[in-house]
Amino acid sequence: MTDELDLLRRANPVPDDGPRFGDGPLDHRAEHRLGRLLDDRSTGRRIPLRLGGRFRPAWALAAVAAVAALTSVLLLGGPAATPAIAAPRPLAVLADSTPVPLNRLAERAATAAADGAPALRKGTHVQSWSLGMSDTEPPVTLPEERIVRWTADGRHTELVVATDPRHPGRPVLTDEDGEPRLVDDGQVISRRAFPPSWSDAPPAARPPHDTGRLRAYLTEAVHGEIRTTPELLAATAQLLDHWTLGARESAALARLLADAEGLRPVGGVTDRLGRPGQAYVYDDGSGVRHMLILDPSTGAVLGLEETFTTDQPEYGVRAGDVMQYSAWMR
């Protein structure tokens, strides 16, 4: 790890005083240095760089160190630089906002679901960002928007677009075709169409709108017992990556979340898509904070965010660094 970090520091393709830093694509010299960084012939090792993989992290500290180093060097250019394409800041609770207990919000959701509208829809529309990792590849980041739509005959399409809601119109980092570079905001990363398919197993099966049955559904979807609140939140994310919940399903999920231990209300937030929400946080004791954002009127899940809560300077991680977020839309 030390050798790789030294290599990163020596090969820094975006120095703090670089004239093109934060102003567009890398120049020829910087691209050459980045190429040497990724395929260093003196060591005979290729440092894998993957951007945009949305992994559910198993946060090994060694992998976090690689991610943090790559993020700092490739995206921020060093501690004194002004960020160009940087990790997002954690969502902030609005000053003087009043926290709404989760039980009360679940009651609001049940009232809002009385007429059954809006209806459940298969497919998803989600904006996401993550510091993902695997044992062999330390990917950095790609802000992306994904839309999955199903037709009545069992076919579905998936559209993935590079976009960052914080900086509309500004370039977005991607590794399309394995070559990390900047692309225009809104550029299509992938567009795929799938033949008819059906499944009666969660999460492909239609989710129920009864709280008890929904818990059983989520348990089956994750192939194991849901014993902790973080596990419930992870199962919620998996559900929302497959379905756009209707009012009744959202109400059942809100009640299930209200019954979970440790989710505490902290107040109002404006989510990453500019929507008002109520935030609920859970500190899991391992240095990670989970923030759940719900619609204050309907109880629908707007987003989930995970951040570090403690500094780990030896690994380049600071309290408040965002690990990942998802923001779902209808």
Side-chain angles (χ1 to χ4, degrees), residues 98-245:
T98 301
V100 177
L102 199 42
N103 274 322
R104 187 180 304 166
L105 198 56
E107 293 170 0
R108 291 182 186 175
T111 300
D115 63 356
L120 175 72
R121 184 175 69 226
K122 194 170 187 178
T124 190
H125 186 181
V126 59
Q127 234 277 343
S128 64
W129 182 93
S130 65
L131 280 177
M133 53 77 66
S134 72
D135 291 339
T136 58
E137 297 185 4
V140 183
T141 176
L142 168 64
E144 67 179 32
E145 189 164 336
R146 183 167 61 97
I147 302 174
V148 179
R149 292 289 180 257
W150 287 74
T151 58
D153 63 358
R155 302 174 189 271
H156 71 281
T157 60
E158 179 189 69
L159 173 66
V160 180
V161 177
T163 184
D164 186 345
R166 299 170 301 144
H167 306 297
R170 285 178 53 178
V172 178
L173 194 64
T174 182
D175 74 336
E176 186 183 9
D177 301 324
E179 296 295 332
R181 66 184 190 281
L182 293 171
V183 298
D184 291 336
D185 178 63
Q187 178 165 321
V188 173
I189 301 302
S190 67
R191 188 194 303 269
R192 297 187 292 174
F194 298 87
S197 62
W198 293 270
S199 173
D200 59 359
R206 185 183 182 91
H209 52 76
D210 169 85
T211 301
R213 291 171 56 216
L214 181 59
R215 171 175 281 278
Y217 174 100
L218 293 178
T219 297
E220 185 176 352
V222 300
H223 306 291
E225 289 296 322
I226 298 175
R227 298 184 176 90
T228 67
T229 297
E231 289 173 345
L232 176 58
L233 294 175
T236 295
Q238 184 172 355
L239 171 64
L240 296 174
D241 281 343
H242 286 80
W243 292 87
T244 300
L245 300 187

Side-chain angles (χ1 to χ4, degrees), residues 2 27 63 67 74 77 87 111 115 127 223 233 256 261-263 277 281 296 301 304-305:
T2 300
D27 60 22
V67 170
L74 297 181
T111 300
D115 63 356
Q127 234 277 343
H223 306 291
L233 294 175
L256 192 58
E261 295 183 359
L263 273 172
V281 301
V301 176
L304 283 168
E305 177 174 286

Side-chain angles (χ1 to χ4, degrees), residues 15 20-21 58 83 110 150 215 257 265-267 287 296 314 324:
R20 294 179 62 86
F21 177 69
W150 287 74
R215 171 175 281 278
L257 292 165
V266 293
E314 66 273 31
Q324 66 178 10

Side-chain angles (χ1 to χ4, degrees), residues 292-305:
L292 169 71
I293 303 100
L294 301 181
D295 185 291
S297 300
T298 67
V301 176
L302 300 181
L304 283 168
E305 177 174 286

Side-chain angles (χ1 to χ4, degrees), residues 79-94:
T82 301
I85 301 170
R89 296 180 181 275
L91 291 177
V93 177
L94 300 174

